[in-house]
Amino acid sequence: MTVQTAARPRLPGPLTAPGGTKSRERMRVSRWQIWVPLGLYLLFTLVPFYWMLVFAVRPRGSTSLLPWPITFDNFETVWNELGFAVFFRNSLMVGVASLVMTTVIALAGGYALARYDFRGKKAFMLGMLCTQFIPGAMMLIPLFEIFRTLGLVNSLWSLVIAETVFQLPLSLILISGFIRNVPVELEQAAWVDGCGRLRAFFAVVLPLLRPALVAVGSFAFIHSWNNFLFALMFVNEQEKFTVPVGLAYSLGEFSVDFGALAAGGVVAAVPVVLVFAVIQRYLVQGMSAGAVKG
Amino acid sequence: MAISTASTANHRMRRPRGAARTPYLLIAPAVIAMVGFLVYPMASVIYYSLQNYNVTKPWDNGFAGLDNFRRLLFEDPLFWQSLGFSVRWVGVEVGLQLVFGLILALIVNETFVGRGLSRALVFSPWAVSGVLTTGIWVLLYNPTTGVSRYLADLGLIEYGAAPLAHSGTVFWAAVLAELWRGVPFFAILLLADLQSIPRELYEAASVDGATRRQRFLNVTLPHLKDAIVLSTLLRCVWEFNNVDLLYTLTGGGPAHATTTLPLYVASKAAQSHDFGYGSALTTAAFLILTFFSIAYLRLSKFGAKS
């Protein structure tokens, strides 16, 4: 989980075999071999972001590719006139609600999988694996029928439920992998000290699960923030639109206002970019500790 | 301590009354949510696939046997066309994403100044949605706002290139946009696995005189095999099911040229009222995915120690 290759080669080498330095020389890669392909790839990654930013902030009629002079007219248009203020609030509410529901349910289920043996455990695991093959796009009709029966069409709760359900299996597996990595002896020590199982969990296990919770929670949030098809199908009133739906509508207009499109894109990107900036350091660790080995 | 030795073999140390029920209570919310909103709708799809169920022709409703599937196999050219496009789309996307993702993971696994920032930047499109990807690439492809216009200003190419408007270029235009946000997935997963390769293996190989290429082929690749198999499978399923990008970027056109099977089903769900036939399409796609996944895991000998 914490393999850090950076520190290794700096070890002083009295124990290194005579051939050691030479072989290490051969293992090193020249700077060119790193920076030429990396630079090209960075260009491919960053130019699209840059393009969006420039179009969002440059004044109407400008053809400059430099983000100067800056104007916030486009943002004002999308935020106030096109309704992105409302879409943003809706997306935020759905995202946070999905995050909380996914994390809490996955935590409970993950603890059961990691710490108990019970009949039906294998079937439960297999069932969760199978759900990964169910195409979300194709569940639109039956889910719509269910939400109509429950009176949840045009309610943001339909999105929260659908998001949570599709996020649960992977989150549960990820969290149970992390709980398995917490030594059970730590919990037992707390039981001996008179803690109940629940208190021991909150006092001992939960603090150690922080990276897992950050990973699962942010996956759920990003996924929900980005979801388009459910929001498009289950919600028809404009006051209930989410950001991706609003963005898709501004794309579908007959004559696209490119400045507004770019500004809407920036609005859609900011929350996920912020979340990503916080979690990206844990991302690789989280993958190796939870998903792959768990 | 006697208690801890007794419990190491078995995770349960003490059993308060009702303990047998605890795990079931803990998984109950997950089970209820998944049965109610995944298993039941899936079962209803399979049920309706065997029914005539058309809102506009209620007098025909009733048991249809395999009639919907017969129609799908023999009378619907769009089914075969969209399935064929799905295979091509998934194959090209996942293949290219894997190659570039692996190269990228190998590069950012090296030690160099600026590695942390480089990782963050090249991984960043991972968090971007399909609709936002469309928004960005529409800007880039448009003949008046896109890259081509500025290249034409420099006299490098002709004005008016519109990759999304022509059936010859629309496929690769869509592939490039999806590649932009798809490569980081492989890079992140494979980097995670690369970091778990013990450095001693490389050192031993070097001492034995192995070249860079030999080390890659004999140490890195075998170690990555399971991660590659798993990530490509997950990605195949994901790319197959993913409709956001194509729905918004090309709308499945021009003339159904970029319609995948799920996109076809989604458009059927939105437009037509023939639920029976739509359900048959969904069931067919689900079966195809499941059989493909099982066959893929079997053929690749996933989890087998080599």
Side-chain angles (χ1 to χ4, degrees):
Chain A
M1 183 175 155
T2 51
V3 184
Q4 264 306 338
T5 47
R8 288 281 183 88
R10 279 190 219 120
L11 284 174
L15 293 173
T16 326
T21 19
K22 223 172 98 199
S23 72
R24 220 176 289 136
E25 281 301 307
R26 221 182 305 157
M27 284 175 71
R28 197 176 292 155
V29 190
S30 85
R31 266 196 227 142
W32 288 106
Q33 282 172 299
I34 290 174
W35 280 108
V36 170
L38 188 61
L40 286 174
Y41 198 83
L42 275 171
L43 210 64
F44 173 58
T45 303
L46 297 179
V47 163
F49 282 127
Y50 180 77
W51 218 266
M52 174 174 73
L53 267 177
V54 167
F55 274 76
V57 300
R58 78 182 193 185
R60 202 163 291 267
S62 161
T63 54
S64 162
L65 272 188
L66 296 173
W68 195 259
I70 286 182
T71 164
F72 288 98
D73 291 354
N74 289 320
F75 290 98
E76 218 166 294
T77 309
V78 293
W79 194 259
N80 296 326
E81 286 170 37
L82 296 181
F84 270 66
V86 179
F87 307 157
F88 194 89
R89 202 195 59 209
N90 291 340
S91 275
L92 210 58
M93 290 197 304
V94 173
V96 171
S98 311
L99 181 162
V100 171
M101 275 179 65
T102 306
T103 314
V104 170
I105 298 177
L107 207 54
Y111 187 81
L113 284 188
R115 289 289 194 251
Y116 290 92
D117 282 317
F118 54 92
R119 277 183 56 170
K121 186 172 165 178
K122 270 223 167 105
F124 178 66
M125 297 275 279
L126 196 71
M128 285 200 308
L129 218 66
C130 283
T131 60
Q132 294 300 300
F133 302 124
I134 297 181
M138 306 188 175
M139 300 300 273
L140 289 172
I141 305 175
L143 276 178
F144 186 83
E145 294 282 302
I146 290 175
F147 289 136
R148 200 171 57 185
T149 317
L150 297 175
L152 290 179
V153 170
N154 273 328
S155 155
L156 292 178
W157 281 108
S158 64
L159 304 183
V160 174
I161 291 171
E163 275 311 316
T164 304
V165 162
F166 275 89
Q167 278 298 298
L168 255 183
L170 219 59
S171 309
L172 222 155
I173 291 170
L174 209 72
I175 285 193
S176 82
F178 270 95
I179 295 179
R180 219 167 277 138
N181 283 348
V182 176
V184 74
E185 287 75 19
L186 287 179
E187 264 183 274
Q188 289 166 345
W191 302 344
V192 172
D193 291 344
C195 274
R197 192 141 197 165
L198 196 65
R199 245 185 83 199
F201 174 77
F202 280 111
V204 178
V205 183
L206 204 58
L208 291 172
L209 289 181
R210 246 192 28 213
L213 296 181
V214 169
V216 166
S218 42
F219 283 167
F221 179 82
I222 290 176
H223 208 266
S224 156
W225 182 269
N226 286 344
N227 190 294
F228 168 62
L229 215 57
F230 290 153
L232 181 74
M233 294 290 178
F234 300 153
V235 169
N236 302 313
E237 295 166 4
Q238 199 169 348
E239 317 82 84
K240 303 273 176 60
F241 278 180
T242 58
V243 171
V245 179
L247 201 61
Y249 269 90
S250 61
L251 265 170
E253 310 246 309
F254 181 65
S255 64
V256 182
D257 175 352
F258 287 104
L261 174 65
V266 173
V267 170
V270 164
V272 285
V273 167
L274 285 181
V275 173
F276 180 79
V278 175
I279 62 159
Q280 60 91 14
R281 277 185 310 127
Y282 304 104
L283 209 57
V284 173
Q285 288 178 7
M287 289 288 175
S288 52
V292 180
K293 286 174 199 156
Chain B
M1 254 165 76
I3 303 166
S4 65
T5 47
S7 64
T8 37
N10 180 339
H11 283 172
R12 281 159 299 171
M13 182 174 66
R14 46 175 198 188
R15 261 174 175 275
R17 264 186 308 141
R21 264 186 312 172
T22 318
Y24 295 106
L25 286 176
L26 287 172
I27 63 166
V31 171
I32 291 168
M34 288 195 311
V35 168
F37 296 97
L38 273 179
V39 178
Y40 168 72
M42 197 59 223
S44 81
V45 164
I46 295 172
Y47 170 78
Y48 280 126
S49 74
L50 302 173
Q51 301 279 321
N52 278 325
Y53 184 53
N54 190 332
V55 179
T56 55
K57 295 181 201 160
W59 54 88
D60 271 346
N61 290 354
F63 184 67
L66 295 175
D67 202 44
N68 285 322
F69 291 97
R70 188 189 53 73
R71 229 176 102 193
L72 175 155
L73 287 175
F74 302 112
E75 291 167 16
D76 188 353
L78 260 184
F79 168 73
W80 290 108
Q81 192 192 323
S82 58
L83 182 61
F85 178 75
S86 286
V87 171
R88 187 163 159 237
W89 170 255
V90 171
V92 170
E93 264 309 326
V94 176
L96 290 176
Q97 285 178 20
L98 172 65
V99 171
F100 285 112
L102 181 58
I103 295 174
L104 206 54
L106 287 169
I107 291 174
V108 295
N109 193 37
E110 296 290 336
T111 314
F112 59 93
V113 181
R115 179 172 74 168
L117 184 65
S118 302
R119 278 188 190 172
L121 290 177
V122 294
F123 290 167
S124 57
W126 171 81
V128 169
S129 73
V131 182
L132 181 52
T133 307
T134 295
I136 292 174
W137 285 83
V138 159
L139 278 176
L140 285 166
Y141 284 144
N142 189 285
T144 57
T145 62
V147 179
S148 68
R149 183 235 170 104
Y150 291 91
L151 291 179
D153 281 350
L154 295 173
L156 294 174
I157 55 168
E158 300 262 312
Y159 282 101
L164 290 174
H166 302 291
S167 52
T169 49
V170 65
F171 177 75
W172 293 104
V175 163
L176 192 67
E178 179 67 8
L179 210 56
W180 176 74
R181 74 164 178 146
V183 168
F185 169 85
F186 277 102
I188 292 168
L189 264 175
L190 294 179
L191 177 63
D193 215 47
L194 275 176
Q195 293 189 337
S196 69
I197 303 179
R199 199 169 176 81
E200 288 71 30
L201 282 181
Y202 287 112
E203 275 160 13
S206 288
V207 170
D208 290 347
T211 62
R212 261 195 96 60
R213 226 185 99 196
Q214 284 171 325
R215 284 200 303 266
F216 175 72
L217 290 177
N218 297 321
V219 180
T220 313
L221 267 190
H223 192 94
L224 287 182
K225 192 200 142 211
D226 274 358
I228 289 176
V229 169
L230 195 64
S231 54
T232 44
L233 177 64
L234 284 175
R235 204 58 181 175
C236 282
V237 173
W238 194 89
E239 284 292 355
F240 184 88
N241 288 333
N242 161 39
V243 300
D244 296 3
L245 181 99
L246 288 172
Y247 185 93
T248 49
L249 189 69
T250 69
H256 297 294
T258 57
T259 300
T260 60
L261 187 52
L263 197 52
Y264 178 43
V265 177
S267 66
K268 265 249 181 292
Q271 291 152 13
S272 91
H273 302 278
D274 196 346
F275 287 172
Y277 189 63
S279 300
L281 281 172
T282 306
T283 309
F286 177 69
L287 289 177
I288 292 168
L289 268 186
T290 311
F291 280 120
F292 165 78
S293 304
I294 293 169
Y296 186 80
L297 288 177
R298 280 272 165 83
L299 289 175
S300 62
K301 300 197 176 67
F302 178 70
K305 293 273 174 287
S306 51

